[in-house]
Amino acid sequence: MKRGVYFVLALIGVLAAIALGGAAVVYGGADDSPGLQGIGALAVIGATAVALRWRGPE
């Protein structure tokens, strides 16, 4: 049971980071802000890396 709760919380966190990163890329493109696009891309890449490496509680 505890493992499932940790998985759901991790999934929500990763999906939120990907959504915010994607929004930052879109808004950075609309405003011609390469810095915001870079931060958004790093957020998406980082969240994806965390999701792929996450093993949960042992």
Side-chain angles (χ1 to χ4, degrees):
M1 178 67 177
K2 217 177 207 188
R3 189 171 172 91
V5 172
Y6 283 126
F7 176 74
V8 170
L9 289 175
L11 182 64
I12 289 171
V14 166
L15 290 177
I18 290 175
L20 287 173
V25 170
V26 170
Y27 289 134
D31 192 27
D32 239 2
S33 173
L36 185 58
Q37 288 177 325
I39 291 171
L42 285 175
V44 170
I45 292 168
T48 303
V50 166
L52 292 175
R53 294 180 52 92
W54 186 75
R55 294 180 187 259
E58 296 295 325

